[in-house]
């Protein structure tokens, strides 16, 4: 089976950091993902879906340092079903969260997808994985004699 979720949107709030008794951390935050369409009357409609995200360990530390309300982020992780609960109207609610494996800043809060400088001199074109290491988010360069067929594994 394959469980992979990828979203891009704007942080709805600053991350909430929780420190466990053993010293490890979790960072919870919501990402607003907007989808626009034209309705039958020709009016533009926008639907916003709020997605819960949770990062653990070193990645939670990084999220705490770099993520702020309104910042555009690209998040990858696995989808996890949360425990059902009963809301204030007495209705049983089922929710899901993305357990973050990778997070990447993709621009400023104004919606302008430009690179921005972040604390500790880390550039926005870097992404962060669960190992807590920053990795450049560039495409790998093809090396070889120019014959792409040599790279096919079968």
């Amino acid at each position: 089976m394959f469980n992979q979720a990828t979203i891009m949107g704007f942080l709805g709030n600053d991350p909430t950091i929780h420190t466990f008794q053993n010293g490890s951390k979790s960072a919870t935050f919501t990402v607003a993902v907007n989808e626009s369409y034209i309705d039958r009357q020709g009016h533009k409609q926008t639907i916003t879906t709020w997605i819960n995200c949770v990062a653990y360990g070193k990645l939670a530390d990084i999220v705490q340092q770099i993520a702020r309300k309104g910042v555009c982020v690209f998040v990858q992780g696995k989808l996890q079903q949360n425990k059902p609960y009963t809301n204030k109207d007495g209705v049983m609610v089922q929710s899901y969260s993305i357990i973050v494996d990778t997070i990447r800043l993709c621009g400023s809060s104004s919606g302008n997808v430009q690179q921005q400088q972040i604390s500790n001199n880390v550039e926005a074109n870097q992404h962060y994985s669960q190992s807590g290491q920053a990795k450049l988010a560039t495409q790998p360069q093809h090396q070889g004699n120019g014959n792409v067929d040599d790279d096919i594994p079968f």
Side-chain angles (χ1 to χ4, degrees), residues 62-126:
I62 292 169
V63 167
Q64 182 179 15
Q65 292 173 10
I66 67 170
R68 297 291 174 256
K69 179 179 179 176
V71 171
C72 180
V73 292
F74 176 85
V75 176
Q76 288 183 310
K78 66 178 182 175
L79 196 59
Q80 179 179 340
Q81 183 176 5
N82 298 326
K83 187 176 179 180
Y85 65 94
T86 305
N87 69 9
K88 62 182 178 182
D89 298 326
V91 177
M92 183 68 80
V93 177
Q94 181 62 61
S95 64
Y96 297 85
S97 294
I98 293 178
I99 305 304
V100 179
D101 291 326
T102 304
I103 187 168
R104 178 179 175 188
L105 298 181
C106 54
S108 67
S109 59
S110 65
N112 187 3
V113 184
Q114 63 185 20
Q115 290 184 1
Q116 61 183 9
Q117 202 68 16
I118 304 170
S119 64
N120 296 332
N121 213 16
V122 178
E123 293 184 14
N125 69 339
Q126 293 180 329

Side-chain angles (χ1 to χ4, degrees), residues 24-79:
S24 65
K25 291 183 180 180
S26 71
T28 57
F29 54 96
T30 56
V31 177
V33 178
N34 296 322
E35 180 180 352
S36 297
Y37 67 95
I38 305 296
D39 66 13
R40 292 182 180 179
Q41 291 77 29
H43 299 102
K44 183 178 179 180
Q45 301 292 325
T46 301
I47 298 173
T48 302
T49 302
W50 290 94
I51 300 172
N52 298 320
C53 299
V54 182
Y56 292 100
K58 292 179 184 179
L59 195 55
D61 290 330
I62 292 169
V63 167
Q64 182 179 15
Q65 292 173 10
I66 67 170
R68 297 291 174 256
K69 179 179 179 176
V71 171
C72 180
V73 292
F74 176 85
V75 176
Q76 288 183 310
K78 66 178 182 175
L79 196 59

